[in-house]
Structure formats: structure tokens, C-alpha cells
Amino acid sequence: MSDFIEELTRPMPEDDGVEMSVLSGTGMYFPWLRKEAETAVTGGKKEKDFAQTTNACLGFIQEALLKHQWEQAAEYMHSYLQTLEDSDTSKRQAAPEIIWKLGSEILYYHPKSNVETFSTFADRMKNIGVMNYLKVSLQHALYLLHHGMLEDANRNLSQAETWRYGEKSSSQEILINLIQAYKGLLQYYTWSKKKMELSKLDVDDYAYSTATKNMVEHSWKTSIHFNSLIQIPGVWDPFVKSYVEMLEFYGDHDGAREILTNYAYDEKFPSNPNAHIYLYNFLKREKAPEEKLISVLKILYQIVPSHKLMLEFHRLLRKSEKEEHHKLGLEVLFAVLDFARCNKNITAWKYLGKYLRQTLMGNHLAWVQEEWNSRKNWWPSFHFSYFWAKSDWKEYEALACEKALVAGLLLGKGCRYFRYVSKQGHQGLKKKIKQMKKSVKKYNIVNSVL
Amino acid sequence: MKMTVPKTLAFCYLSLLWQRETITLSDLLRFVEEDHIPYINTFQHFPEEMKLYGRDKGIFTIESWPDYEDIYKKIIEVAIFLDLPRFPDITEDCYLHPNILCMKYLMEVNLPDEMHNFTCQVVKMTGIGEVDFLTFDPIAKKAKTVKYDVQAVAIIVVVLKLLFLLDDNLEWSLSNLAENHNEKNKEDKPWFDFRKWYQVMKKTVDEKNKKWEQARAKYLWKSEKPLYHSSIDKSVVYKRREMVVNLQKQFSTLVDSTPLIEKKGPSSFQFTWTEEDPDRTCFHGHSLQGILKKKGQSLTTKNSLYWLSTQKFCKSYCKHVTTYEESNFSLSYQFILNLFSFLLRIKTSFLHEEVSLIEKRLFKAKYGKTKKKSSRSKKARRY
């Protein structure tokens, strides 16, 4: 659009004798059209100064927030509040949300503001229009939680829970569920405190039974609150975790298992590695069969190959009897070490060294080659460079040795890492180095490739 | 013709013009913006008995400050509608006469007094100082009034172009000469140094501009007594107002309670310059000697070139000039335009148009043969 305007307003080229500017050889020239075109952008009306100044005000507020100038932001906010009375209906309806977001930021950080001012502000903003009640209540409750005022937060949430306006729309539905879930979380918190107290009490103590009864009550309330939210697809880690803990405590393992399986496997839910981790830990506690554990961790492997549980996964695979699991075990180890996170993890390297030897002893050179093919271009400089050799040796000799074994097996005894470490370790770790050299000589894949 | 608040303001200006008061349209509009004249929420000052509702809301809800071009059109409209006769003459001793207005603006933007001679000459040559040209006559076939302030400022721009060329080159070389001379002769009257002037003005104007923008962003448009359409609206509107007031109270307690700067009374001058202030150099007394040279009995400008702000004028009905496209012009020219546009609170394109019109009059004879923008033959100035 703006190019079009540029075209029209560019000064015309030299013209011999023709002074008329309306029509010329190269193009039409309508200076008055520019004005019309400008107003077309704003929908036929020239922007009023009210809109212009409030926009500028908004810009100043945002700038002040960015620079943490809270007083200045408050000053501009004072003027920005007039957008609540904007004669433009659409702007007027959008104003409360903007004001809430900016205002709550300011009041959160401003040195002169306290919980009381925030609460007054929240209460006022809740009641402007009807769309904002739930959202503001929820955020207000979170603010109170942040300041450790649990009862007030609870009260707030209870009030919000019972709020209804017209037909329940889907966005309202989810907010109400969220509010209930947070309430549930607060209940859980009280329950868990009571649990701790209980563990200090003696079973025969008089208070024990009352405490237990109390706890049951809380847990029942909590489960109601969590139930509806967990049905909706989403990421609800803290809620799920607390709920499962309570269910396990009361022996409802089936319920717990159902929830966790749902949470991890239901396709409607977004992919969430934590879901699988929770499920895995639960199954481990239940002492589920290894096949099951392996299947759970397989999915986690696909989502987060660098997770620290992968080493545990590898152990499970190693123990298994199936050959495909053994192959996968090798894959998993390589995948873990693809990431810089596990660079200095001595267990990972130890496993890899041992397992490589084992695999090569078992005549599965093809597996190793398959894994190594995609990595041989970049692993040498990623893990086995001379720089790493020096720094690893300086920092942690045992790690360097493990790495050296792997390096030797994969790159042959000529590789720099291996040579450096064997040279360095010649005096101190004679025996180990000797063993290493033997393995490398016997099993390295370079010779086999050639 | 229906009366509105902007038209009322136009009407007020007509009366000021009739009485030849020492106030220009841009001053009037600036006073409105600075809240010295009720315009945005005029109904607040009405007596209690007057109830406004329904259609009044549309008339009295003002959400924009008056725009110069808009009010200018309305002035002519109202004058024609009222069938006003020819206004009292604007003669040479009137405030609104370009000679006097030029002096005022020269002082305000801190330019040397000596430039006044040049502005008077340009006024004479273009014939815009004539009584018939200046006086507003609604009955005349092409009823027009002169935009006194814009024109005076445009003349100053033209004079600056004559003296300094403003091609991003000559003005700086002339400044170098002035600087050298001033270094060597500290006791004499200093030569006017364009560069120094630019630095002082830029700093001052930028500061003023920033404050102006901030004040505008904080401007409160809504008044205590809200306007409503009907009795059904009334309660909603009043409730809303109450809520806003409460929220505002809450935030005002968080604001730094530094004492508010005393609101200044209305003044014609936005900038003042005095000799005594060492931080803000006053250029009024500086001499233009550095840019003039002797030619026979008289002095003439060293600069002998000129460029026109516009190449062609639209010959059709609308009489438009080429629209101002910033990137086509030198930075010095842009700075000068921005400076004066800010002073008068008008659009730069508006001022640019006026400059073009002045130049058209000035170079009337040569204009028809114009092809190139670059060099023009010089015009001898009789000092």
C-alpha cells in the first residue's frame, strides 16, 4: 500500500512544455489521492487525538516498565485509565485486560505498593465488565500465594469457583477448572503438612486418629477438585503429582495407574516428558515387570534422548534377553552422549566403553558401525579433540581414561585422545592403561573396517 | 450550516481578526492545547441548569485538538455564511503585518536581528505587504485570508535559503569562516555562526518537543461530568466515571509527590533568549557580515545560488503544489521546516507549501522557464 503512495507522490520527471500535472506520460498524479489513501488505512476516519495520545501513553508505560521506572509507569497509567471511558466501543472493551496486565505488573514491583493496594485494584478490575472476573481472580489468588497468604488465596478461589455468568463458554469452563485445581492444590498442601505431623505421632496417640480423619477429609475434597481439570488436555504436572501421591498413600494404586497412564498416553494431551517420568517412577515403585518399564522408557527415549533416566534405561536393556533390546541399548548410549550435557558423565562413558567391548566381543560389529557412521564426522572434534584430552585429564583422570577407551575403540590407537591419555597415564595408572591398550588393539573397529 | 465547537472557535478568531488583536491563529490554537481556552470540555463551565444529553453529546464530545488547516477552512466558511463585509485594514503598523510578525519569529528562533532587513525586502518584492493582499474580504470572489503566521515563517525560511542555500554544504562552510573569524576577533561583534545556532536550537527544541509529547500522552480528555445519550445511559456512564476516578486515585498515590511545576500563563513566546545566559547563546545581536560581500555601493550575499522547493505547480482546479516528500530535501532544510512546524504546531507539508507559494511570487518572472532545480541566477540585494 505504501509503495503505491510513494509511486504517486514522487516528483514527476522533466517534461517538455507540458505543465499539466494531472496526466503525464509516465503515470497519473493525484496529490489529493494521498490524503484519501491515508484515511483508508484508518477505516475512513482520521485518527482522533484521543486515540493518538492514549497510544502514546501506552508506549510510555511499556517503556517505563522495561526500564523498571515504576513511578513513571504509575504516572502514565493514571492517564491511561481514561481508555475505560473510550467512546470507541471496541477499544473500551479491550481496555480492562490491558489495564489489568500493566497495572498488576506495576503494583507487583512498585516499592510503595503492598498486598492491600493490589487486592483493592484486583477487586475493582474484577468487576469491570464480565469477561475478566475469573482471570483476574485467579491471578489475584496466585499473587496472594506468592506472598504466603494461603487462607486469603483459598477464600478468593472459593469465591471465584461459584461465579457464573450466562452460559458456560469453553474458556470460562477451563478457567473454572483451573481455579478448582488450584484450590485442590492448597488442600493438598494442608494434607501434606498433616501427613508430616502424623509421621511424628505415635500410632497409639490420641491425636493420631483425629489427624487421620482430618486428612481423609482433605484428600477427598482435593480429589474432587483435581478430577475435572485432569480430564482436559493440558500440562498439569503439579496437580497430577500431588493427586497421585495422595492416591498411593490411601492404597488406590489402580486409580493412580489409570490417571498416570491417561496422562502419558492419551493422544489429546500435549507431549510431556514428565508424564512418562511420573509413570515410570510409579511403575518402578509398584515393581512392574521389566517389559513394561522398557516400553515406557522407550517413549521417553524418543522424546528426550538426553535424559538422565536413559542410563537406567540402558541397564534395563542390557539385562534383557532380547537381542533387539541389546541393539537398542547401544543406540541409547550413543544418543545420550550426543548431547553436551553428558559430556562429563563418567558413568555414561564407562557404560559405553564396556558395552562396546561387549558388543564387539559378541560379533555385532555391524551394530557399532551403524551407530558410528552417522557420528564419525563430528564426534572426534566434539569429544575427542586434543583440547578435551588435556582438560579432561587435568580435571578428572578417571573420566579421561574411560573416554580414552571409547576413543581408542572407535578411532583406533592412533587417535590423539588415546595417545595423550596413555602417555599421561603411563606412570600412575600403568595397569589400567595396559588393559586399555590391549582392548583397543584387539577390538578397535578401524582395523575391521579396513 | 450547523454550529460546532470548532466553528465556534473559528468565530472567535474572526472577532480577534476584526479587532486586529496581537494574536495569530497558531497562538490561539496553542492556547487551546495548553488548556487556557476551554474547548475540550467546554460544557463543564455551563451553569447547573443546563442539562446536556442526546444530540448534545455528539456536539460537545471533543476528542481532537483543533487543527490549523481545518480551522482555517472553517473561518472562511463562517465568514461567508455570516455575510461579513471587508475587514478592517491590516496596515504596516499592525501586529499581523508580515514585517512585524517576521521580527517576532526571528526573535523567537534566536536569529540575528539583521535578518529583518532581508525579510522586509522579500515582503516588498513579493508584494505580500500590501494592504489589499493582507486584509480579509469574505465578499471578494476568491475569499481568502492570509495565513499570517505561516506566511511570516515561510518568508524567514526563504531568507535563510537565500543567505545560506541550505544544501547541506554551503551553510557549514560559511559557519567555518564565521568560527575562524570569531576566534581571532573576540572583542568585535561576533559573526553569526550557523552551526552554533543549529546546535543550540536543536538541543532546545528537542527538549521542548520531548516534554510536549509527554504532556500530550498524559492528557486527560474526560471530565468530571460525563456526557450521556439518554437516561438509560446515564447510570452506566456515571458508574464508569466513578470507577475510573477511584482507580486514578489509587495510582496517583503511587506517583512521586514532587511539587508540580506552576502552570505557566498563556504566552505568545515559546522560547525566550537573553544575552546574560551563558548556557544558551543568544544570537540576536550577531552580525551577518560573514555572509555578505561588497558589490559596488551595496552589499550582497556571498551565496549566489538558490533552489526551489517545488518544480511544478498543478495548473488544474485544485492549485496544489508538489507534496512534500522529506527524502527529497536537504537535512538542513528539513531541520528548519521541522523547527518552524513545531513552533506553529502545523504539518511540515503545510509550511512547505507556503514556502513554495512565496517562492513562486518571488521568482514569478523566471518561474516559467524553470527546468533544473540546482542553479538559479542570483538576485542582487540592495542593502
Side-chain angles (χ1 to χ4, degrees):
Chain A
M1 185 67 187
S2 49
D3 296 88
F4 178 56
I5 297 176
E6 300 292 313
E7 274 288 330
L8 291 179
T9 56
R10 203 180 300 137
M12 291 217 316
E14 305 297 314
D15 232 337
D16 289 297
V18 178
E19 299 273 50
M20 290 281 283
S21 311
V22 179
L23 277 172
S24 101
T26 48
M28 307 241 272
Y29 176 65
F30 299 115
W32 46 265
L33 188 59
R34 182 190 194 164
K35 212 173 181 183
E36 303 308 315
E38 271 170 4
T39 55
V41 174
T42 55
K45 280 189 236 162
K46 190 172 156 219
E47 187 192 48
K48 296 223 177 91
D49 284 341
F50 178 87
Q52 194 252 328
T53 56
T54 44
N55 276 337
C57 193
L58 184 63
F60 280 118
I61 296 178
Q62 289 170 331
E63 202 185 308
L65 283 180
L66 208 64
K67 295 185 187 165
H68 289 214
Q69 293 167 336
W70 313 115
E71 272 113 11
Q72 274 234 23
E75 208 179 315
Y76 284 111
M77 179 53 102
H78 175 93
S79 306
Y80 192 71
L81 287 165
Q82 56 185 337
T83 50
L84 288 170
E85 291 181 288
D86 197 335
S87 47
D88 183 338
T89 326
S90 57
K91 293 229 181 91
R92 190 175 61 233
Q93 285 176 340
E97 198 175 330
I98 300 174
I99 291 177
W100 166 250
K101 285 196 184 138
L102 295 172
S104 55
E105 260 322 280
I106 296 174
L107 289 176
Y108 186 80
Y109 288 108
H110 197 287
K112 276 197 224 163
S113 121
N114 50 25
V115 180
E116 223 183 284
T117 28
F118 192 96
S119 299
T120 337
F121 181 62
D123 285 328
R124 290 214 177 101
M125 291 312 292
K126 268 183 221 179
N127 292 310
I128 298 184
V130 283
M131 303 312 295
N132 299 305
Y133 188 86
L134 290 174
K135 213 185 282 184
V136 174
S137 295
L138 185 56
Q139 292 183 329
H140 186 196
L142 290 174
Y143 173 85
L144 291 169
L145 275 180
H146 195 275
H147 284 257
M149 304 173 59
L150 296 174
E151 294 102 40
D152 289 335
N154 206 358
R155 210 177 329 123
N156 233 311
L157 289 171
S158 308
Q159 237 183 351
E161 213 183 348
T162 55
W163 184 86
R164 292 287 182 272
Y165 179 74
E167 286 171 24
K168 258 202 216 171
S169 67
S170 57
S171 59
Q172 273 187 41
E173 181 93 37
I174 202 170
L175 278 173
I176 292 181
N177 284 331
L178 206 57
I179 287 172
Q180 285 177 334
Y182 271 105
K183 231 182 133 203
L185 204 60
L186 282 173
Q187 303 277 18
Y188 164 77
Y189 181 66
T190 5
W191 176 88
S192 134
K193 267 205 299 196
K194 291 209 160 46
K195 186 171 100 164
M196 274 209 293
E197 284 170 16
L198 200 71
S199 61
K200 296 189 196 133
L201 288 176
D202 214 3
V203 185
D204 300 322
D205 209 324
Y206 176 67
Y208 192 83
S209 51
T210 25
T212 332
K213 241 197 280 175
N214 240 327
M215 275 172 62
V216 171
E217 225 180 272
H218 275 286
S219 69
W220 174 73
K221 282 194 200 151
T222 317
S223 58
I224 298 180
H225 286 127
F226 281 152
N227 249 326
S228 36
L229 184 70
I230 295 181
Q231 309 296 333
I232 305 175
V235 180
W236 313 120
D237 288 349
F239 305 118
V240 169
K241 219 161 146 208
S242 336
Y243 194 21
V244 165
E245 186 187 327
M246 275 196 335
L247 288 173
E248 274 190 276
F249 184 80
Y250 288 112
D252 184 4
H253 295 283
D254 290 326
R257 195 179 315 117
E258 194 188 322
I259 289 180
L260 284 175
T261 328
N262 226 19
Y263 192 48
Y265 292 132
D266 190 342
E267 271 166 8
K268 284 186 259 136
F269 280 67
S271 169
N272 183 0
N274 288 334
H276 300 275
I277 295 173
Y278 295 155
L279 181 58
Y280 173 74
N281 286 328
F282 173 77
L283 292 172
K284 211 164 78 169
R285 285 196 291 271
E286 272 213 318
K287 302 200 178 4
E290 282 183 1
E291 273 291 321
K292 190 93 181 54
L293 293 175
I294 287 178
S295 65
V296 174
L297 282 181
K298 213 180 199 178
I299 303 180
L300 184 62
Y301 163 65
Q302 278 158 0
I303 309 177
V304 189
S306 64
H307 200 272
K308 57 183 189 246
L309 276 180
M310 289 298 111
L311 294 179
E312 215 171 296
F313 187 35
H314 168 81
R315 285 199 296 272
L316 283 171
L317 290 169
R318 204 169 52 199
K319 277 200 293 185
S320 147
E321 282 156 8
K322 293 205 190 131
E323 195 166 291
E324 64 198 26
H325 284 172
H326 292 175
K327 185 162 188 276
L328 185 59
L330 186 66
E331 247 180 72
V332 166
L333 271 188
F334 268 106
V336 164
L337 289 170
D338 271 343
F339 293 88
R341 191 205 232 184
C342 298
N343 241 343
K344 309 233 164 132
N345 189 331
I346 187 169
T347 327
W349 287 110
K350 210 192 299 198
Y351 282 2
L352 185 57
K354 221 164 102 180
Y355 203 62
L356 272 175
R357 215 174 41 203
Q358 200 178 330
T359 319
L360 291 165
M361 268 202 291
N363 277 327
H364 291 297
L365 178 62
W367 292 357
V368 178
Q369 279 177 338
E370 195 183 315
E371 290 309 313
W372 185 236
N373 264 337
S374 57
R375 293 176 171 92
K376 65 182 173 203
N377 287 325
W378 57 280
W379 262 45
S381 42
F382 189 53
H383 286 303
F384 306 128
S385 66
Y386 188 58
F387 167 77
W388 277 123
K390 281 203 291 188
S391 99
D392 287 338
W393 181 257
K394 205 159 127 193
E395 230 182 282
Y396 194 8
E397 288 178 9
L399 172 70
C401 288
E402 300 298 338
K403 268 178 87 168
L405 175 61
V406 177
L409 286 172
L410 293 171
L411 295 169
K413 68 177 195 267
C415 96
R416 291 180 98 181
Y417 200 97
F418 183 71
R419 278 192 302 168
Y420 183 82
V421 171
S422 19
K423 200 166 77 176
Q424 296 293 326
H426 198 68
Q427 282 87 26
L429 302 158
K430 214 165 178 173
K431 191 170 173 202
K432 188 155 186 181
I433 300 290
K434 217 167 158 191
Q435 259 185 346
M436 229 167 62
K437 281 194 173 163
K438 226 167 90 181
S439 303
V440 168
K441 194 164 168 191
K442 198 170 175 192
Y443 294 114
N444 79 70
I445 63 174
V446 178
N447 291 338
S448 329
V449 170
L450 289 175
Chain B
M1 185 190 81
K2 291 204 192 113
M3 209 49 181
T4 59
V5 179
K7 288 210 181 112
T8 316
L9 189 65
F11 181 65
C12 292
Y13 179 73
L14 282 172
S15 66
L16 289 169
L17 183 57
W18 185 278
Q19 304 204 327
R20 293 176 290 185
E21 291 286 349
T22 54
I23 179 170
T24 59
L25 182 56
S26 59
D27 286 337
L28 184 69
L29 298 182
R30 193 161 42 85
F31 293 157
V32 168
E33 201 186 301
E34 291 172 356
D35 266 346
H36 298 298
I37 298 177
Y39 180 85
I40 304 293
N41 290 316
T42 41
F43 54 89
Q44 286 201 104
H45 306 276
F46 290 175
E48 279 294 318
E49 307 86 61
M50 284 180 74
K51 300 271 179 246
L52 296 171
Y53 55 88
R55 271 220 209 116
D56 300 334
K57 178 169 181 266
I59 298 174
F60 285 101
T61 309
I62 306 285
E63 295 193 321
S64 292
W65 283 295
D67 174 49
Y68 191 105
E69 290 171 74
D70 183 50
I71 301 288
Y72 175 69
K73 284 198 198 105
K74 290 190 161 68
I75 288 170
I76 301 179
E77 212 181 306
V78 173
I80 293 177
F81 177 79
L82 291 175
D83 242 342
L84 294 173
R86 181 185 159 108
F87 273 50
D89 287 345
I90 308 276
T91 52
E92 282 204 358
D93 51 349
C94 265
Y95 178 73
L96 294 172
H97 191 270
N99 285 340
I100 304 191
L101 272 184
C102 280
M103 189 68 225
K104 187 248 182 191
Y105 286 119
L106 282 172
M107 277 173 67
E108 198 165 7
V109 294
N110 204 8
L111 285 170
D113 298 336
E114 285 182 24
M115 280 181 69
H116 189 234
N117 295 305
F118 288 90
T119 59
C120 290
Q121 282 204 27
V122 172
V123 168
K124 199 148 154 221
M125 290 176 73
T126 52
I128 61 174
E130 300 302 313
V131 175
D132 287 329
F133 180 84
L134 287 173
T135 314
F136 181 38
D137 194 350
I139 301 177
K141 246 215 186 129
K142 265 192 285 185
K144 57 149 186 56
T145 184
V146 174
K147 307 168 202 144
Y148 303 107
D149 36 16
V150 185
Q151 197 156 63
V153 158
I155 291 171
I156 299 180
V157 175
V158 168
V159 168
L160 281 172
K161 275 168 84 171
L162 283 167
L163 295 177
F164 295 102
L165 188 58
L166 297 182
D167 64 344
D168 281 343
N169 211 338
L170 185 66
E171 62 270 27
W172 308 118
S173 344
L174 289 175
S175 306
N176 292 338
L177 289 174
E179 202 181 316
N180 289 335
H181 176 264
N182 290 340
E183 294 271 298
K184 294 186 205 132
N185 314 24
K186 297 233 177 160
E187 284 83 32
D188 294 346
K189 197 160 140 183
W191 284 5
F192 177 68
D193 183 351
F194 187 85
R195 183 180 284 121
K196 277 220 179 67
W197 175 81
Y198 167 81
Q199 285 164 341
V200 170
M201 284 317 287
K202 182 147 175 68
K203 185 160 158 238
T204 321
V205 167
D206 280 347
E207 268 168 28
K208 192 99 194 206
N209 206 344
K210 190 167 158 198
K211 282 206 195 100
W212 177 72
E213 271 175 13
Q214 286 177 341
R216 264 166 76 108
K218 289 190 215 164
Y219 191 76
L220 291 172
W221 292 87
K222 304 291 175 183
S223 70
E224 280 157 29
K225 276 197 290 178
L227 281 173
Y228 51 89
H229 229 94
S230 62
S231 46
I232 314 168
D233 276 351
K234 186 173 174 182
S235 50
V236 173
V237 168
Y238 267 84
K239 189 156 166 252
R240 216 181 269 151
R241 179 101 274 266
E242 198 189 316
M243 192 143 53
V244 172
V245 166
N246 284 334
L247 284 168
Q248 282 182 330
K249 256 194 226 141
Q250 200 179 13
F251 275 93
S252 58
T253 56
L254 294 175
V255 174
D256 238 344
S257 49
T258 46
L260 277 171
I261 309 165
E262 273 296 315
K263 199 164 168 214
K264 282 195 245 171
S267 154
S268 243
F269 280 82
Q270 294 177 67
F271 298 109
T272 50
W273 307 92
T274 52
E275 302 280 332
E276 290 84 41
D277 196 341
D279 290 329
R280 303 163 80 236
T281 327
C282 175
F283 291 90
H284 293 159
H286 288 212
S287 148
L288 290 179
Q289 229 182 317
I291 53 175
L292 302 169
K293 62 179 190 231
K294 275 203 178 293
K295 184 188 179 186
Q297 287 288 338
S298 50
L299 291 171
T300 182
T301 58
K302 276 197 184 151
N303 170 37
S304 57
L305 304 173
Y306 195 84
W307 53 270
L308 290 172
S309 292
T310 183
Q311 279 176 269
K312 288 189 196 336
F313 286 91
C314 177
K315 287 268 166 104
S316 76
Y317 179 64
C318 62
K319 285 256 185 274
H320 251 89
V321 299
T322 318
T323 322
Y324 176 54
E325 191 64 51
E326 279 181 347
S327 48
N328 289 338
F329 296 96
S330 69
L331 293 171
S332 314
Y333 183 68
Q334 285 178 40
F335 170 72
I336 302 282
L337 276 193
N338 286 332
L339 170 63
F340 284 113
S341 314
F342 174 69
L343 204 65
L344 297 180
R345 307 283 195 269
I346 56 177
K347 290 206 208 72
T348 46
S349 51
F350 193 49
L351 179 56
H352 176 81
E353 247 180 69
E354 202 61 34
V355 171
S356 311
L357 288 171
I358 301 275
E359 287 173 347
K360 188 180 178 186
R361 295 186 92 100
L362 193 58
F363 298 109
K364 222 183 327 198
K366 309 254 176 180
Y367 200 79
K369 304 185 201 129
T370 305
K371 289 285 188 207
K372 293 215 163 60
K373 229 162 77 156
S374 43
S375 59
R376 311 285 312 119
S377 58
K378 69 175 177 186
K379 286 220 147 232
R381 298 264 162 277
R382 300 276 171 247
Y383 191 81

